Amino acid sequence: KGPHPEREGGETPHAPARGFQEGKPRRGGSARGSGSHPLSAHRPIHTTSMVDSAQRAAQEAAAAEEARSAVEAIDTIPRLADAVRRKLDEVTHSPEKQHSPGTPLYMTLNMKGRALFDLAFILAHVEGAEAQKKAVELCERAGVAYTMVRIIEKERDDGDGFAAKSAVLALSILANLACHNGHEQLMQPEINALDLFLALLNDPDSQALSPLVLPYSIAGVRNLSNQKGAAEQLRKAGGEKLLQDLVRRGKESGPNALDEHTLVHATKALMNVNELAPKAPLGAHLLPGAKKKAEEEAERRRKELEKEHAELVKRRDAAVKVQRNVRRYQTEKKYAFAKKVEKSDNMRVGPSQEMLVLIQGTHAEEPGARSKAVLKLANFAAGCSSVKLAELALHTDDIVALLNPATEPPSTMAYAACVIANLSYTRNGQRSAIRAGGVKALLGVIRHIVSSKSDGSKGNSVSTRNAASSQAAAALQNLSYELPPVCDELVSEGAVKVLRNLMSFEESDDMCREYAAGVLTNLKVYATVELDPASMQAATHASELIKDKHKRSVELEYAMSVRIQAVWRGVNTRRRVAKMGKK
């Protein structure tokens, strides 16, 4: 079977949660949980030895549907080939109209319906003699082989060669067409796929551009060599020496060693050449002794090749089995870990159904009910894993709507900002918050806090207002981390002045100032627009504050570790002295 195509310094930025740390954003919020990495749960497929009649009927129906889909896919070969050919003609004859500078040929050929990729995928999955015969007839009628050769020549002459996807896919189509017994069209003079395959086997530059060039080329040679005319042409063109060199490389170790699949193809192609195109035909002019000796030598060589081929097939099957077992183990491990995380989430923050109930609670008419619902959501976001955060990110619009100083008290805005801060810990959460307008809403919360003062009421106390401003600054720090567009938007919205006012605001506490300094530092590092002198001075001052805090935290951590070690050594010494006294 032929191969299947591929599916295709300066300042250190800071991010909130449990102090500033270098490198990446952290989880923030009033009830912080430990940061967790994103999960990808893949359920393993469990099979049983006994299948009841209903399951068997369902499997047979699925197999029939798959076969019907395969036949329908084969029928689309002429349409896909015609789409690729027309697009290639447009690129070739009028490149200034159809092919924009810098656009790869692969993207141009797949601009409408991924025609080239779909064609390669269909030919790689043709099963059965009847389906192969039909696919070859449709390919010959549509001129698929000639179109693929044109694509390869186009990429090698004017493009990136086999570093381009289009050339690799075209080579895959030729190799699979040879697998389906399309020798007649592939051996035509204007196509001559065998010479193309041999040239690629002897072209290290093309092989260096893509790791698929060598296996696709050797697979094409093997598929073509099972026909007598192609085998004779292969021997005349010096292909036997190339195949022997490949087999010899397979016995070596190091960077030039070949994988088992390539070795199997090379050995089988060599067997086909020796069997279908022997070196010296045994004629009547040979003496009886010489004729017998030549026959014995040919038979010995054939047996050696068959034995070597059988060993290579055995090695390849063993390697495939190991890879399959490794993938199964990794899948089961990921599934078990995902179930463990899900169980932990359910124990700590409850199932996802409770989160949906809380989301509905944010739409309540009473402000107190909305505040209670978003408070529980804040605790949910601070304690759950990244999997649950991804589910919560789907409802970011509902959370951002609560960041409205005109309708919500500071306590509700503090809880909503806490949720956004935790969501923006992940890339998906960052995108969701940005699309929902969270950047302007969070900046509006800080602007409202610094432009007013506390009246001493329960819902508008200094601590509540500080919680709202600090969590909003923490969320902005996560959203501005490694995202120049967000930093540019903040600069254009006057965030530097607002954050400076927050740092100098008489009601602000240390957490407000630290998170505001973190945002200013990210603006200095990632913003592409030029900051005015006052803004640059404020950002530089904020960076110095961050560095001082890091230095103090490191010194404190070192002092505490030395103290713990001294206490531990003292305890061990007293224990040893006490044991010696008892003796």
Side-chain angles (χ1 to χ4, degrees), residues 24 56 112 133 145 185 196 265 325 350 352-353 405-406 457 508:
K24 61 180 180 180
R56 188 178 296 107
K112 295 182 179 180
K133 183 178 179 181
Q185 51 186 301
L196 173 63
H265 291 320
N325 291 336
S352 300
Q353 289 79 3
S457 61
S508 297

Side-chain angles (χ1 to χ4, degrees), residues 403 405 413 438-453 465 468-470 472-473 476 489-503 505 508:
L403 299 172
M413 292 189 295
V439 176
K440 291 184 179 180
L442 292 166
L443 190 59
V445 171
I446 300 177
R447 185 179 283 115
H448 171 75
I449 295 297
V450 299
S451 63
S452 61
K453 291 188 178 181
R465 289 162 55 85
S469 57
S470 64
L476 284 177
E489 181 182 358
L490 286 171
V491 173
S492 64
E493 293 290 334
V496 176
K497 182 179 179 181
V498 175
L499 294 170
R500 276 168 37 197
N501 293 338
L502 178 61
M503 294 179 66
F505 191 49
S508 297

Side-chain angles (χ1 to χ4, degrees), residues 364-409:
E365 296 181 359
E366 298 181 1
R370 294 198 299 269
S371 182
K372 290 181 180 179
V374 74
L375 169 61
K376 294 181 179 180
L377 278 177
N379 290 325
F380 180 93
C384 69
S385 66
S386 297
V387 177
K388 295 286 186 178
L389 280 180
E391 297 178 7
L392 182 58
L394 300 175
H395 307 280
T396 309
D397 294 337
D398 301 318
I399 308 301
V400 172
L402 298 175
L403 299 172
N404 187 0
T407 58
E408 305 298 337

Side-chain angles (χ1 to χ4, degrees), residues 239-250 252 258:
E240 184 181 15
K241 186 177 183 304
L242 286 175
L243 295 173
Q244 291 173 349
D245 292 340
L246 286 175
V247 173
R248 195 178 300 112
R249 280 176 55 187
E252 301 174 356
L258 301 181

Side-chain angles (χ1 to χ4, degrees), residues 267-280:
T267 309
K268 188 61 178 177
L270 199 57
M271 292 175 62
N272 290 338
V273 171
N274 282 276
E275 182 177 352
L276 298 176
K279 280 187 178 180

Side-chain angles (χ1 to χ4, degrees), residues 12 14 35 62 72-73 91 100 109 116 126 159 223 248-249 283-284 301 333 359 403 436 498 530 538 544 578:
T12 301
H14 307 287
E72 294 174 355
V91 172
S100 58
L109 297 177
L116 179 62
V126 176
N223 292 335
R248 195 178 300 112
R249 280 176 55 187
R301 180 58 179 163
K333 187 176 179 180
I359 292 294
L403 299 172
V498 175
E530 185 176 358
E544 293 174 354

